[in-house]
């Protein structure tokens, strides 16, 4: 496993395990399999409704807490200062933990204009040592700039949709300039067309690897954190088996050229669902 050092000094595995759309019961099995396969970073959220299942797998694994990196997120309807403090406690309760490593704002939901207050509550949790790091998801440059102007603690990362068809180059450049990591959600394009792309398939064949492994290498070599999800045991192993090969700069260029700004999820500026 490779690790990155976040802007507050905290080390984070560059590859983690996502559990969106995994029911609570199944999350226990999937996370148990992931932990056995060597993942130590797990990405959940209040809205995934599987924090309890994730927490069960963590407890049953017997892995020392300090060897794990657990992320959860404050959902849109819980935004606002007091709500966020309450939501954090409720997430900890469901997870069965006394802290998480990383707490994120799930979406800025700009229509409600509460993300600054939400972030200020997260700063309080951070300053009190109740969370190891704080960050955001789905923030456009303008939302980040607002945090820079009105808050004190820089987010350690911005978790956004990112894969070869949505490379997010402008946002990546902006985040790099401000020492903020980009973390890719749907790093495998949700198992979609990216994995069937001829360019990716040819590179995979050349390395004796799968398209998913090539896409994950592309993320890692771009200095991006990635959190692929799978409930399939063989794929859970496949997706972490990416530290024994490297793409050439020519192969990286070829994949970079696939960017076509094709999104699976919502545009952050338009997402206001609560
Ligand atoms: N912050 C946000 O707003 C946000 C939004 C979306 C996601 N996320 C986070 O990011 C994580 C990952 O994103 P995601 O779940 O949307 O998509 P993803 O990881 O890109 O893809 C998951 C899909 O790909 C399939 N898959 C996994 N490994 C594969 C492989 N090696 N070969 C072929 N297919 C494979 C999975 O199928 P099986 O499971 O059936 O194996 C599943 O259908 C989420 O779980 C969540 O933690 C965050």
């Amino acid at each position: 496993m490779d690790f990155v050092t976040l802007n507050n000094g905290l080390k984070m595995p560059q590859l983690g395990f996502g559990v969106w759309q995994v029911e609570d019961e199944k999350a226990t099995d999937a996370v148990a399999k992931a932990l056995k396969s060597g993942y130590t970073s797990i990405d959940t959220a209040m809205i995934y409704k599987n924090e309890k299942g994730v927490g069960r797998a963590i407890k049953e694994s017997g892995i020392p807490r300090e060897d794990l990196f657990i992320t959860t997120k404050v959902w849109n309807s819980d935004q606002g200062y007091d709500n966020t403090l309450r939501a954090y406690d409720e997430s900890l309760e469901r997870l069965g933990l006394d802290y998480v490593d990383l707490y994120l704002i799930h979406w800025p939901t700009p229509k409600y204009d509460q993300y600054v207050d939400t972030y200020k509550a997260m700063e309080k949790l951070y300053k009190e040592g109740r969370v190891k790091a704080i960050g955001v998801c789905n923030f456009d440059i303008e939302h980040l700039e607002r945090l820079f102007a009105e808050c004190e603690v820089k987010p350690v990362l911005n978790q956004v949709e990112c894969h070869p068809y949505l490379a997010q180059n402008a946002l990546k450049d902006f985040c790099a300039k401000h020492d903020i990591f980009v973390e890719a959600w749907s790093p495998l394009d949700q198992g979609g067309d990216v994995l069937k792309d001829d360019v990716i398939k040819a590179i995979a064949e050349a390395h004796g690897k799968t398209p998913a492994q090539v896409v994950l290498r592309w993320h890692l070599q771009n200095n991006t954190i990635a959190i692929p999800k799978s409930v399939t045991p063989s794929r859970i192993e496949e997706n972490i088996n990416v530290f024994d090969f490297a793409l050439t700069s020519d192969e990286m260029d070829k994949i970079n050229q696939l960017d076509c700004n094709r999104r699976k999820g919502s545009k952050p500026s338009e997402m206001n669902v609560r």
Side-chain angles (χ1 to χ4, degrees):
M1 177 59 65
D2 287 349
F3 284 77
V4 297
T5 303
L6 305 173
N7 64 29
N8 67 349
L10 189 68
K11 289 208 181 336
M12 175 176 186
Q14 200 180 350
L15 189 79
F17 185 70
V19 293
W20 180 40
Q21 292 177 316
V22 184
E23 288 162 23
D24 197 61
E25 284 290 314
K26 289 194 177 140
T28 306
D29 289 346
V31 172
K33 172 66 188 169
L35 295 174
K36 275 205 189 94
S37 306
Y39 297 80
T40 53
S41 167
I42 309 295
D43 181 89
T44 183
M46 176 273 179
I47 199 67
Y48 300 169
K49 300 197 182 337
N50 57 21
E51 288 174 313
K52 277 190 182 164
V54 169
R56 263 195 308 274
I58 292 170
K59 191 163 176 221
E60 287 166 7
S61 75
I63 299 173
R65 175 67 186 91
E66 61 273 20
D67 293 344
L68 297 173
F69 192 104
I70 309 301
T71 301
T72 194
K73 314 182 188 92
V74 55
W75 181 241
N76 305 345
S77 54
D78 286 328
Q79 284 210 30
Y81 193 88
D82 292 336
N83 280 346
T84 299
L85 297 178
R86 176 188 45 77
Y88 183 68
D89 286 339
E90 289 171 358
S91 278
L92 291 184
E93 173 81 27
R94 283 186 294 267
L95 283 159
L97 299 176
D98 53 15
Y99 70 92
V100 294
D101 297 272
L102 179 59
Y103 200 38
L104 302 174
I105 297 183
H106 210 139
W107 291 88
T109 54
K111 180 174 142 192
Y112 298 101
D113 195 21
Q114 284 187 302
Y115 62 86
V116 171
D117 281 348
T118 301
Y119 196 78
K120 285 185 174 167
M122 291 163 59
E123 288 185 316
K124 173 180 160 71
L125 294 169
Y126 178 67
K127 286 178 186 167
E128 288 175 355
R130 297 195 56 216
V131 60
K132 303 271 181 203
I134 56 175
V136 295
C137 304
N138 303 302
F139 269 43
D140 289 334
I141 289 174
E142 63 176 301
H143 308 129
L144 288 168
E145 281 177 332
R146 179 108 181 269
L147 290 193
F148 297 163
E150 299 185 41
C151 300
E152 291 170 27
V153 180
K154 203 189 266 195
V156 294
L157 61 77
N158 186 14
Q159 184 186 111
V160 295
E161 180 178 353
C162 180
H163 44 70
Y165 287 173
L166 182 73
Q168 299 272 24
N169 289 324
L171 188 62
K172 277 178 182 160
D173 288 348
F174 179 86
C175 287
K177 207 170 89 192
H178 291 277
D179 202 11
I180 294 170
F181 273 93
V182 168
E183 180 174 39
W185 63 254
S186 296
L188 300 175
D189 186 32
Q190 298 180 10
D193 289 346
V194 163
L195 301 187
K196 297 180 201 106
D197 189 285
D198 287 341
V199 170
I200 308 270
K201 283 199 317 203
I203 296 171
E205 221 161 275
H207 286 274
K209 289 284 181 180
T210 65
Q213 289 170 322
V214 165
V215 170
L216 292 171
R217 257 331 293 179
W218 172 80
H219 285 295
L220 298 177
Q221 289 181 222
N222 271 333
N223 210 28
T224 302
I225 301 164
I227 44 169
K229 167 262 177 188
S230 178
V231 292
T232 312
S234 60
R235 288 175 173 171
I236 294 173
E237 282 181 20
E238 175 185 329
N239 294 345
I240 198 177
N241 188 11
V242 293
F243 296 99
D244 59 352
F245 77 112
L247 302 177
T248 64
S249 56
D250 181 49
E251 289 167 337
M252 288 294 289
D253 284 348
K254 280 190 179 141
I255 302 176
N256 287 335
Q257 283 164 24
L258 299 177
D259 184 20
C260 52
N261 206 28
R262 199 199 291 179
R263 240 173 236 284
K264 275 260 154 66
S266 305
K267 264 185 146 179
S269 57
E270 293 165 7
M271 185 347 188
N272 290 295
V273 171
R274 288 186 130 177

